[in-house]
Amino acid sequence: MANIIVFAILAVVILGSAVMCVTTKRIMRAATFLLFVLFGIAGIYFLLDYTFLGAAQISVYAGGVTMIYIFAIQLVNKRTLQGLVERMKGNRVICGALLSLIGLATVVVVFLKNNIISSFAAMPDQEVSMQVIGNSLLGADRDGYVLPFEFISVFLLACIIGGVLISRKE
């Protein structure tokens, strides 16, 4: 029962922070709300007893990526940010809602076409060991994720180098 209560609290924090992140007009507040979202996701990992993934979530995403965002925000001139106040126009809201529905329809079609829902229903209720998760994440075979991790690390390195180059004075 305690796990359900903690999950409900984390879900409210994640959803509330995510909504505030995309609706606030101040960019530093948006970055702060994003940090709360990432901490909430780490809390869910800890709730599931995936301590390694929770620690990785905090150190890589909450620590690293959010700090890169804040660093990039601080590099931008305040005069540039002052002219970026946008109003919610009806046309943009309708286009955003339409694109969201198209994305939802795409996900539903892929799930139904590949029988994903029925395959999860047929699976026995078993726990996945940390060794299986580690082999899946760091495996170099067809289902491994080591190559996307390497691409992400090169991308983050390019972001850091770009930030340093932008921050240099002429």
Side-chain angles (χ1 to χ4, degrees):
M1 184 67 177
N3 286 342
I4 295 173
I5 294 171
V6 172
F7 175 78
I9 292 170
L10 287 172
V12 168
V13 167
I14 291 171
L15 290 175
S17 297
V19 168
M20 291 301 295
C21 180
V22 297
T23 57
T24 186
K25 292 183 179 179
R26 297 182 183 257
I27 195 163
M28 286 303 288
R29 287 184 185 170
T32 305
F33 286 126
L34 176 66
L35 182 66
F36 289 142
V37 169
L38 295 174
F39 275 134
I41 292 171
I44 289 179
Y45 285 143
F46 286 125
L47 186 65
L48 294 172
D49 288 333
Y50 289 141
T51 55
F52 174 74
L53 291 177
Q57 175 77 18
I58 290 174
S59 64
V60 173
Y61 292 105
V65 173
T66 306
M67 291 307 120
I68 288 174
Y69 286 156
I70 292 173
F71 182 64
I73 291 167
Q74 294 297 326
L75 288 176
V76 176
N77 191 358
K78 288 184 182 179
R79 292 181 189 166
T80 306
L81 289 178
Q82 288 174 353
L84 290 179
V85 177
E86 291 188 19
R87 303 280 183 239
M88 293 292 279
K89 296 180 180 176
N91 191 16
R92 287 190 177 188
V93 172
I94 292 171
C95 288
L98 184 65
L99 286 174
S100 298
L101 288 176
I102 290 172
L104 177 66
T106 304
V107 168
V108 168
V109 166
V110 168
F111 274 19
L112 292 177
K113 183 179 179 183
N114 294 322
N115 295 328
I116 292 176
I117 297 170
S118 62
S119 67
F120 278 123
M123 287 177 63
D125 190 21
Q126 60 185 3
E127 194 170 317
V128 179
S129 69
M130 196 54 106
Q131 183 176 5
V132 172
I133 293 173
N135 288 335
S136 296
L137 289 176
L138 299 176
D141 56 346
R142 186 174 86 76
D143 295 327
Y145 290 102
V146 73
L147 189 61
F149 276 157
E150 292 299 323
F151 281 134
I152 290 171
S153 65
V154 170
F155 174 71
L156 289 175
L157 178 64
C159 289
I160 292 170
I161 291 171
V164 169
L165 288 176
I166 289 172
S167 67
R168 286 181 33 198
K169 300 293 179 188
E170 300 298 332

